[in-house]
Amino acid sequence: MSKKGSLVIISGFSGAGKGTVVKELMTRYDCYALSVSATTRAPREGEVNGREYFFKTKEEFEELIRQDALYEYACYVSNYYGTPKAYVQEQLAAGKDVILEIEVQGALKVKEKNPEALLLFVTPPSAEELRNRLLHRGTESEEVIRERMNRAAEESLLMDRYEYLVINDQLDDCVTEVHQLIQREHLRMEANTDMVTKLQKELKEMKGE
Ligand code: 5GP
């Protein structure tokens, strides 16, 4: 029986290390497909178009919105970010669990459209640790770091809309926890209605024998 994959949303404050968690998840397990987002933000050093993001101009991004080519999109610290629709749909149909690493507004929009989507929130153990990680990343100016910390304070007010909180203290443990949470979703009764129907039918037939 072919099974559709699940949609998994991983959010977390900028600097929480969710990118590293997702990368490690993809390296360890081959059951996941990672959606590559489109963004109008400039590439950071080492980022490759089509790998970390599809880098777009504002006009190109707005054209994607007009064409209804995005599953969701949001504005984050003065830039657009959005999830290309076609890839998500293809991969779900192929039975892959599709990972969206997106911010809170987009995540809640996806949840509205798709109530079965699993919402995971990744955070460092404290606000102090978050600021340290942003400072040590060294890729952002002080101004952007301040904006991202302010945004984290806003996002923290919506954290309780997520289903699970994963603390990224030890990377290895965090990745294992995320994998286990996703896999557990496949055991939910609602995710197994075909199997339930099949068993009910088989048992009914056997009863008559
Ligand atoms: P960064 O600029 O640090 O790569 O990403 C900034 C924020 O945008 C992160 O919280 C990241 O998860 C989020 N983000 C990345 N891609 C998308 C997307 O397609 N949609 C939404 N809504 N947020 C995204």
Side-chain angles (χ1 to χ4, degrees):
M1 206 177 307
S2 74
K3 256 186 117 185
K4 257 188 97 195
S6 326
L7 195 53
V8 180
I9 298 169
I10 302 186
S11 300
F13 310 123
S14 174
K18 58 190 185 304
T20 316
V21 171
V22 168
K23 245 187 226 147
E24 186 60 25
L25 192 70
M26 301 302 295
T27 308
R28 275 206 218 163
Y29 309 102
D30 62 8
C31 50
Y32 300 120
L34 177 62
S35 161
V36 177
S37 298
T39 184
T40 55
R41 125 158 127 58
R44 293 190 187 120
E45 210 180 306
E47 286 184 335
V48 174
N49 190 32
R51 189 179 66 188
E52 279 79 13
Y53 283 105
F54 295 106
F55 295 101
K56 304 281 178 198
T57 62
K58 188 160 175 273
E59 292 67 33
E60 286 168 341
F61 197 100
E62 285 172 350
E63 183 56 29
L64 291 177
I65 299 174
R66 266 193 298 278
Q67 289 171 356
D68 194 26
L70 299 174
Y71 196 72
E72 61 72 41
Y73 69 93
C75 200
Y76 178 93
V77 188
S78 317
N79 281 301
Y80 279 131
Y81 292 82
T83 305
K85 201 188 258 182
Y87 180 81
V88 172
Q89 290 172 339
E90 280 159 27
Q91 295 298 315
L92 286 176
K96 292 272 189 182
D97 292 329
V98 178
I99 312 282
L100 308 186
E101 190 215 312
I102 64 177
E103 55 65 70
V104 174
Q105 286 173 44
L108 297 178
K109 275 189 239 162
V110 172
K111 184 73 177 172
E112 246 172 57
K113 269 205 247 179
N114 188 337
E116 314 88 80
L118 177 65
L119 294 189
L120 309 181
F121 199 94
V122 177
T123 178
S126 68
E128 188 62 37
E129 175 66 19
L130 179 66
R131 193 170 49 194
N132 285 338
R133 288 188 194 176
L134 275 175
L135 288 170
H136 289 133
R137 186 151 85 177
T139 51
E140 262 89 29
S141 65
E142 259 180 50
E143 175 58 24
V144 170
I145 291 176
R146 211 177 0 255
E147 278 184 67
R148 286 182 176 232
M149 286 301 292
N150 289 343
R151 181 66 182 235
E154 281 168 28
E155 289 185 339
S156 70
L157 302 177
L158 294 169
M159 277 168 76
D160 58 1
R161 306 273 293 272
Y162 281 67
E163 278 136 340
Y164 294 97
L165 179 68
V166 186
I167 298 186
N168 182 17
D169 197 3
Q170 295 298 320
L171 177 67
D172 254 14
D173 297 346
C174 179
V175 173
T176 304
E177 265 169 27
V178 168
H179 176 63
Q180 286 171 346
L181 286 170
I182 299 172
Q183 293 312 308
R184 211 169 67 181
E185 283 301 286
H186 292 302
L187 304 180
R188 279 185 176 277
M189 217 34 111
E190 308 91 273
N192 287 287
T193 48
D194 286 356
M195 183 65 177
V196 170
T197 311
K198 176 179 162 289
L199 280 169
Q200 286 170 337
K201 186 167 166 275
E202 286 173 0
L203 286 164
K204 188 171 171 209
E205 282 165 10
M206 258 184 209
K207 212 170 95 181
E209 270 174 16

